Amino acid sequence: MPKFTPMIEQYLAVKQDVPDALLFFRLGDFYEMFFDDALLASRELEITLTGREGGAEERIPMCGVPHHSAENYIHRLIDKGYKVAVCEQVENPAEAKGVVRREIVRIVTPGTVMDSKAAGDKANNYAVCLAAGQAGYGLAACDLSTGELYAAPLGNSLETLLDELNVYQPSELIGEKALLERLGGMGAGWAKRPVLSYRERGDDELLRRQFSADELDELTAECSLAVSTMIAYLAETQKRSLEHVRQIRVYEPGQFMTMDAFTRRNLELAETARERSKHGSLLWLIDKTVTSLGARRLRRWLEKPLVNREKIELRLEAVQALCLDLIAREDVRGILKEVYDIERLTARIAYGSANARDLLALGQSLKQIPALKGACRSLDSALFAQIAERMDECADVLEWISSAIADDPPVSVRDGGMIRPGFHEHLDRLREAGASGKRWIAELEKQERELTGIRSLKVGFNKVFGYYIEVTRANTGSLPEGRYERKQTLANAERYVTPELKEKEALILEAEEKMVGLEYELFAELRERLAGQIPRLQELAELVADADALQSLASVSAERRYCRPIITDGYDLEIVDGRHPVIEAVLPAGEAFVANDVRLTDGEGRMLLITGPNMAGKSTYMRQAAIICLLAHIGCFVPADRATIPLIDRIFTRIGAADDLVGGQSTFMVEMRDIQTMTAQATKRSLVIIDELGRGTSTEEGMAIAQAVIEHLHHHIGCKTLVSTHYHELAHLEESLVHLRNGCMAVKESGGDVIFLRKLIAGAAGTSYGIHCARIAGLPESVIARAYELLSAAEERAA
Ligand code: ADP
Ligand code: MG
């Protein structure tokens, strides 16, 4: 073991506590990193690697960043999936005996960062904690930047667990090592690769301090375990108030419509399957929110559709009220434009990181509340009435902010300029003292010019020497003796001070120092006071988010002429002239989307088997049915002329391996496993979509599997089912399965040409038009002719 200097010894001792984080070690005006951390940081941040004598034989690798720009570097590391522990000097170096005492004041991690550039304003950034108890898995999901905390008991189903992870897309996963490692081995069940933070369970004492007894009573044992581990982890990393994390939103997965990761991806809910971009997704289409908190709320609604008819109807009614009233809608949108992210502002206030601009933004937002409340109240909707009813204008909070905070405060809270004149008498007096000193100095130039007769004489200020009187070298001779004390010599000028100037300068500096100190005190006091109002502000944020999300659904419904669906407890699904909302929206100008009906009913067939060639519109038709059902369940109007939508507990979509849009990931084995999950979990209330089942194997086997699966769903489950297949031979099933009907996409042949009409009609397609496709693709005419020859020979043999 080499012998290190005391400072490096201290570094190593601190580093021991945070082996999985990069340690930012404060040395004067810099944060320094050493050893492996330095190698890594210099590479990731592209900063120069240096070395330092540390007592060992070799120089210790070192690199550093200035403390004032550290946040930027920290965020870059966090966005790359690292953790950063910030270690500060916790005693005054002037008073320290030996090495200055240093402590870790905060550990920034991907799941707990307060303002991540990567997540953006419109998305949440979750850390998820998992625990395993006797009754199965428990989940706690927290977005520290908003204060949201969800808890859900997940039972023993690993599928449910993966579904939930897929909803939260956590950037960090916390829990016992064995459990997380087991999940890691499960493959890509969720899209993002989270950072893993191993942690044993937290203590209940901390839990009881954070939440009320009522809140904790609601938790099952495994949820309590997950929440306590989460809180312990947050306490350990943040080392400060978690005042804004105070409400645990408990839910059971069954309270919402279930969709597995594959279905979410296939229906392109929040991002497209191929490019993983928001653009082109369903969320992109329906997101007409004005505020960031509204955008996050809408996304949550889309990820977790309701399955409770009353709740859905409440939203539909609210959407209708705004949808029918253009003026009210524009009014609400106009008001919301002036509302900032109250949720994150509130979180920053609680966390102690809000600056004066944040408070001003909160104030601006609060000013809008009375108008928003009025607009909500005037609408013919029980939900909007509730929102208006619960909306607390927080007029007192607004008054505190507007009386204290200046109109255009700086970003920094340490430079003054935050507090409004007239708010505090002593502060005003200090300001006047400073200002009168400055006025005196402003006058000084004129006086000195008159006194000395030097017309080029200047009075100036710089940070090192303070105020000075500058005289060009040629004129120094004209200065009277005695009064002028030389301070600095320049190339062709001299700078002087006089006793009066020194005196005034001291006055100004002292007043300024006191002013800045007092301003910070007053500001911190106000921030503390606001922190006492967190529950009210959070409740308000909640209501604003709801109003904005409803406004968004109403806006898209009105703009795109959607219709209000009829929600029923029954079985039958009937859509008249339905459209695929996204494809309709992105069709090139001049091309019209062809609307289609969907009828899956007890009386006329629960299952539809769609045959037809490639590119006929089968996949579009089936996805459109699922998306219309989904939109209805979040309380949105739907792209159709009329729609009767029964409550649906799950949507499954399964896509044949060869047809998997995501490409490459899905093998035949995965496809079969997906089918297995579906057959195990679908109920009569589910909507099942099977697109090109059984492609990844031989034709005979593929058809056999497809038929067997269809029969199973038909005999044993009875769910509403849409199946597409290019095996038009399967059409005979209509004869043996009473609940199954055949359908196909209409095609017009004219003069050897094939035109896709995109219209679903009854009956089965006669041919796959595969060879026709080959011709369109430009294969040589001789090959095409030969293929037709072989085909008719085969057909003759079969006949
Ligand atoms: P299939 O699954 O039968 O191969 P798709 O559903 O993928 O066909 O449709 C192919 C393309 O046809 C789609 O990308 C879309 O651009 C267009 N399309 C499908 N259905 C319609 C429709 N109803 N109206 C207009 N265009 C459509
Ligand atoms: Mg298809």
Side-chain angles (χ1 to χ4, degrees), residues 337-351:
K337 282 204 178 95
E338 308 291 317
V339 175
Y340 295 86
D341 195 339
I342 305 178
E343 201 174 26
R344 286 207 162 129
L345 291 171
T346 304
R348 285 210 283 278
I349 288 170
Y351 199 74

Side-chain angles (χ1 to χ4, degrees), residues 261-415:
F262 192 80
T263 300
R264 290 171 193 282
R265 201 163 60 192
N266 188 236
L267 295 179
E268 309 197 300
L269 296 192
E271 58 182 26
T272 58
R274 227 184 290 229
E275 285 100 15
R276 319 208 77 146
S277 66
K278 182 179 173 188
H279 184 94
S281 68
L282 186 58
L283 181 60
W284 162 76
L285 184 82
I286 64 170
D287 188 355
K288 307 276 174 198
T289 57
V290 180
T291 65
S292 308
L293 66 170
R296 294 193 299 269
R297 175 60 43 92
L298 181 69
R299 185 179 179 133
R300 174 111 193 143
W301 284 2
L302 183 63
E303 301 270 13
K304 294 215 155 282
L306 299 170
V307 289
N308 174 302
R309 193 150 76 92
E310 283 79 58
K311 285 187 185 159
I312 296 173
E313 292 290 1
L314 268 178
R315 277 196 205 161
L316 284 172
E317 184 197 46
V319 168
Q320 175 162 352
L322 263 190
C323 187
L324 295 179
D325 190 340
L326 174 67
I327 294 172
R329 205 163 65 236
E330 285 308 312
D331 193 22
V332 169
R333 290 176 62 85
I335 297 166
L336 287 171
K337 282 204 178 95
E338 308 291 317
V339 175
Y340 295 86
D341 195 339
I342 305 178
E343 201 174 26
R344 286 207 162 129
L345 291 171
T346 304
R348 285 210 283 278
I349 288 170
Y351 199 74
S353 60
N355 63 16
R357 288 191 183 175
D358 290 331
L359 300 199
L360 199 66
L362 177 62
Q364 297 275 13
S365 311
L366 292 178
K367 273 189 206 147
Q368 311 304 319
I369 303 305
L372 184 60
K373 200 171 163 164
C376 291
R377 202 188 287 123
S378 72
L379 289 165
D380 189 11
S381 140
L383 189 52
F384 271 119
Q386 265 176 37
I387 290 175
E389 178 70 23
R390 280 169 56 196
M391 224 173 235
D392 171 355
E393 294 171 12
C394 298
D396 48 346
V397 176
L398 173 57
E399 172 56 28
W400 299 344
I401 295 173
S402 33
S403 62
I405 301 295
D407 286 337
D408 190 13
V411 174
S412 164
V413 295
R414 302 279 180 184
D415 296 339

Side-chain angles (χ1 to χ4, degrees), residues 614 618-620 659 691-692 724:
N614 271 325
K618 301 184 298 298
S619 300
T620 306
D659 224 41
D691 199 353
E692 304 282 6
S724 83

Side-chain angles (χ1 to χ4, degrees), residues 49 185 211 239 368 375 492 508-509 633 640 755:
L49 186 69
F211 303 105
K239 301 180 192 298
Q368 311 304 319
N492 45 20
I508 293 171
L509 292 182
H633 281 74
I755 301 164

Side-chain angles (χ1 to χ4, degrees), residues 578 580 583 587 591-596 612-624 659 691-692 724 745 757-759:
H580 188 300
I583 296 198
L587 269 186
E591 273 184 50
F593 191 89
V594 181
N596 271 305
N614 271 325
M615 285 303 285
K618 301 184 298 298
S619 300
T620 306
Y621 175 80
M622 296 196 296
R623 285 201 186 91
Q624 144 187 338
D659 224 41
D691 199 353
E692 304 282 6
S724 83
M745 305 307 295
L757 298 177
R758 318 271 190 229
K759 197 80 187 168

